[in-house]
Amino acid sequence: MASSTIFLHSSPPTYLSNFQICNLNKPKSTRKWNSGYSLKPIKATLVETSSFPLFQPPQVDESPSEMGLVDPDFYKIGYVRSFRAYGVEFREGPQGFGVFASKDIEPRRRARMIMEIPLELMLTISKKVPWMFFPDIVPVGHPIFDIINSTDAKMDWDLRLACLLLLAFDQEDNFWQLYGDFLPSAEECTSLLLAMEEDLLELQDQSLELTMRKQQRRCLEFWEKNWHSAAPLKVKRLAPDAKRFMWAVSIAQTRCINLRMRVGALVQDANMLVPYADMLNHSFQPNCFFHWRFKDRMLEVMINPGTRIEKGEEMTVNYVSGQQNNMLMQRYGFSSAVNPWNALPFSDEPQIHLDTFLSIFNITGLQEEYYHNSQLAKDGDTFVDGAVIAAARTLPTWTNGDVPIIPSLERKAAKELQEQCQEILAKFPTTSKQDQQILDATVDPRRTLEAAIKYRLHQKLFIEKVIDALEIYQDKILF
């Protein structure tokens, strides 16, 4: 089908399949909203995926064929409120939601829109005082404003957004009362804010473990301070227990979009919860991005210019650039063995020759923009991935104009770097094979426990990949 017909606004939107339209007349499934963890069971959505072979994880948990079309009500509740989607479909599987192309999309010179979400459906709060909300759902004199106003302006953006989310759930006829049915429950979230004591121990990362304990304590103390016995009833019912509030903060952290938006003459940076757009999964090489359309206050999800997308391919965005796995885990609750921004604590000595390493693996570009030139690679050679790109950034290297390398010295340096990698691996109490066996043997693990084990597994797989890359480097510098 011609791609030029995907975004014609003069015709009705084509995001409902025939199957979904037929099901609109069927009885609506019963849903509850008594607490943040009594929802319809849905897996957490923040699972790292990629549409580009360079950054594909070694193992893919699910394919689009294993994901079923989402409940038609998911579209309907937004469609009647001016949400629109073009040429995409939402799917739900064991690992959560994803957005996939419903038809082939040919590359264009200009970015094209696949989603538009009106401001009225969002929850936004300015990053700086005075706090401004668009839309302003905080009633005049409501005590939740005093709670929001008591937060630290620089540190507590997630607490403010969580308060706003809880207020939206409590307001009659608010869109988020319906959309909340499709958010992951507390048991389905991978955020480490909801992790148990034993889950944090499984990280095998003391620094990250300590950081998450501090984050949990910060949220708990905030809840105890504002949801005490003397608090007004209209505040108490928002978060009757600490777990409810922790869940709201985890949703705020994992689904927040930071964007500069213009409303009339006012331009401000805001923390935003944007329905439907928050169902896009992460990729280090995304095919979509967000754009604010100020003339009618719409957030647009746009396809990158020049991008070809096949039917069934996942639509992705980059949540945050240049962050290692520990930061991704702290904020979003996921990690990747092929994160191109991973790093290792190497000593300054020894060093390998930078240009030689890059040329052997056909890596080009500046350090912050390294990429694999696949046209120079041999057919069937799939060794180079995001972990090798990360190795090019993190390995200690030297360069001195046109001074050539001495192969014997390069091999010696590479071996010493391999030994440093082995020493790092030896500090872990388990191996990558043991971690994989634990994952395979565990039946229905808690989502936070599963995420913690995957985190330490991905760290080890990355180190092993660096060792293998250094081995190939030693072999090829002799020729």
Side-chain angles (χ1 to χ4, degrees):
M1 184 176 294
S3 61
S4 59
T5 63
I6 295 178
F7 304 107
L8 291 179
H9 293 265
S10 58
S11 59
T14 57
Y15 59 84
L16 288 178
S17 66
N18 292 333
F19 170 81
Q20 292 169 321
I21 293 173
C22 293
N23 276 276
L24 284 176
N25 296 322
K26 293 185 178 181
K28 182 178 179 180
S29 59
T30 302
R31 299 191 178 106
K32 297 181 179 179
W33 186 250
N34 296 325
S35 68
Y37 39 92
S38 62
L39 303 175
K40 173 184 176 183
I42 295 177
K43 295 292 184 180
T45 64
L46 295 175
V47 179
E48 192 281 323
T49 58
S50 173
S51 302
F52 290 72
L54 174 58
F55 299 112
Q56 279 288 11
Q59 295 182 349
V60 179
D61 294 330
E62 57 186 342
S63 64
S65 61
E66 296 173 339
M67 302 182 72
L69 290 171
V70 76
D71 186 338
D73 283 341
F74 181 70
Y75 297 88
K76 187 177 179 181
I77 61 175
Y79 175 66
V80 298
R81 295 168 175 83
S82 300
F83 159 75
R84 295 294 183 268
Y86 308 94
V88 298
E89 57 190 11
F90 294 84
R91 290 184 172 271
E92 177 188 358
Q95 297 298 323
F97 275 88
V99 184
F100 297 85
S102 61
K103 58 185 73 176
D104 292 338
I105 302 175
E106 297 299 323
R108 288 185 177 179
R109 295 178 62 184
R110 299 180 62 183
R112 66 179 70 185
M113 179 179 62
I114 58 171
M115 270 191 251
E116 53 183 354
I117 304 103
L119 177 64
E120 288 71 24
L121 297 187
M122 307 176 198
L123 295 175
T124 74
I125 181 172
S126 59
K127 290 186 177 181
K128 298 179 181 179
V129 291
W131 308 123
M132 302 190 70
F133 314 92
F134 292 102
D136 190 356
I137 67 169
V138 183
V140 176
H142 197 289
I144 198 66
F145 181 80
D146 294 329
I147 294 176
I148 291 175
N149 204 38
S150 68
T151 58
D152 186 291
K154 295 182 178 180
M155 303 295 296
D156 295 338
W157 65 268
D158 51 347
L159 303 182
R160 292 189 288 273
L161 202 55
C163 290
L164 203 60
L165 178 63
L166 292 170
L167 178 64
F169 289 144
D170 187 62
Q171 289 190 341
E172 186 176 357
D173 297 328
N174 190 286
F175 169 76
W176 283 83
Q177 288 183 324
L178 302 174
Y179 192 75
D181 288 0
F182 300 95
L183 295 176
S185 66
E187 285 73 19
E188 300 300 328
C189 283
T190 59
S191 172
L192 293 183
L193 282 177
L194 300 168
M196 301 177 66
E197 182 78 13
E198 53 266 33
D199 299 345
L200 295 178
L201 293 175
E202 294 296 337
L203 289 168
Q204 297 181 359
D205 185 331
Q206 292 184 353
S207 177
L208 179 57
E209 178 186 341
L210 180 61
T211 298
M212 293 316 304
R213 292 185 195 280
K214 290 181 179 178
Q215 291 290 324
Q216 289 178 336
R217 192 180 309 115
R218 177 178 71 106
C219 294
L220 181 59
E221 290 175 352
F222 184 81
W223 178 82
E224 291 174 342
K225 176 184 176 182
N226 296 286
W227 273 266
H228 48 77
S229 58
L233 178 60
K234 60 176 63 177
V235 170
K236 280 186 178 180
R237 67 190 184 200
L238 300 183
D241 53 56
K243 187 176 182 181
R244 167 75 161 166
F245 183 74
M246 299 280 273
W247 172 83
V249 177
S250 70
I251 292 295
Q253 285 192 0
T254 57
R255 292 171 178 268
C256 175
I257 296 173
N258 299 316
L259 198 67
R260 172 165 292 182
M261 66 177 186
R262 173 180 167 186
V263 178
L266 179 65
V267 178
Q268 67 173 10
D269 294 321
N271 301 124
M272 312 167 68
L273 288 177
V274 185
Y276 297 100
D278 63 355
M279 296 299 178
L280 288 158
N281 284 322
H282 169 80
S283 172
F284 297 112
Q285 289 287 301
N287 49 25
C288 296
F289 65 96
F290 298 126
H291 174 257
W292 179 254
R293 194 172 75 204
F294 70 89
K295 63 180 180 180
D296 53 356
R297 304 187 301 182
M298 289 274 188
L299 183 134
E300 299 176 318
V301 180
M302 311 288 288
I303 298 178
N304 292 330
T307 301
R308 181 190 304 276
I309 300 176
E310 298 181 357
K311 180 180 180 180
E313 185 175 337
E314 185 167 13
M315 321 300 285
T316 57
V317 292
N318 193 344
Y319 291 172
V320 60
S321 180
Q323 296 296 336
Q324 300 180 37
N325 275 349
N326 59 342
M327 295 304 298
L328 294 178
M329 198 69 189
Q330 177 183 331
R331 170 74 182 273
Y332 299 103
F334 71 85
S335 58
S336 172
V338 292
N339 183 349
W341 299 100
N342 269 339
L344 290 173
F346 289 109
S347 61
D348 293 335
E349 295 290 342
Q351 299 178 343
I352 58 174
H353 190 250
L354 175 61
D355 292 338
T356 303
F357 185 87
L358 297 179
S359 63
I360 284 177
F361 294 104
N362 300 315
I363 298 174
T364 57
L366 300 175
Q367 186 176 29
E368 297 302 311
E369 300 175 354
Y370 279 156
Y371 68 94
H372 178 226
N373 191 341
S374 57
Q375 295 180 349
L376 299 178
K378 296 181 180 179
D379 293 339
D381 185 4
T382 60
F383 178 78
V384 178
D385 56 15
V388 180
I389 300 293
R393 290 192 175 105
T394 192
L395 285 169
T397 58
W398 68 275
T399 182
N400 187 9
D402 296 329
V403 176
I405 65 170
I406 300 176
S408 60
L409 296 180
E410 285 295 305
R411 290 194 64 185
K412 179 181 178 182
K415 285 184 178 295
E416 292 180 4
L417 291 174
Q418 284 180 313
E419 292 174 358
Q420 291 187 32
C421 290
Q422 294 289 357
E423 291 174 358
I424 297 173
L425 283 176
K427 295 179 181 179
F428 288 101
T430 59
T431 65
S432 60
K433 291 183 178 179
Q434 291 172 333
D435 291 340
Q436 189 61 59
Q437 290 172 353
I438 292 172
L439 283 175
D440 295 339
T442 305
V443 179
D444 295 329
R446 291 186 304 278
R447 296 288 286 149
T448 50
L449 174 61
E450 181 184 16
I453 298 176
K454 283 185 176 180
Y455 169 77
R456 75 194 199 200
L457 170 61
H458 290 159
Q459 295 297 89
K460 295 163 190 172
L461 291 177
F462 167 60
I463 298 172
E464 292 171 357
K465 188 76 172 187
V466 174
I467 294 175
D468 293 340
L470 288 169
E471 190 67 32
I472 294 175
Y473 177 70
Q474 294 176 58
D475 293 338
K476 291 192 174 182
I477 58 177
L478 298 180
F479 300 98

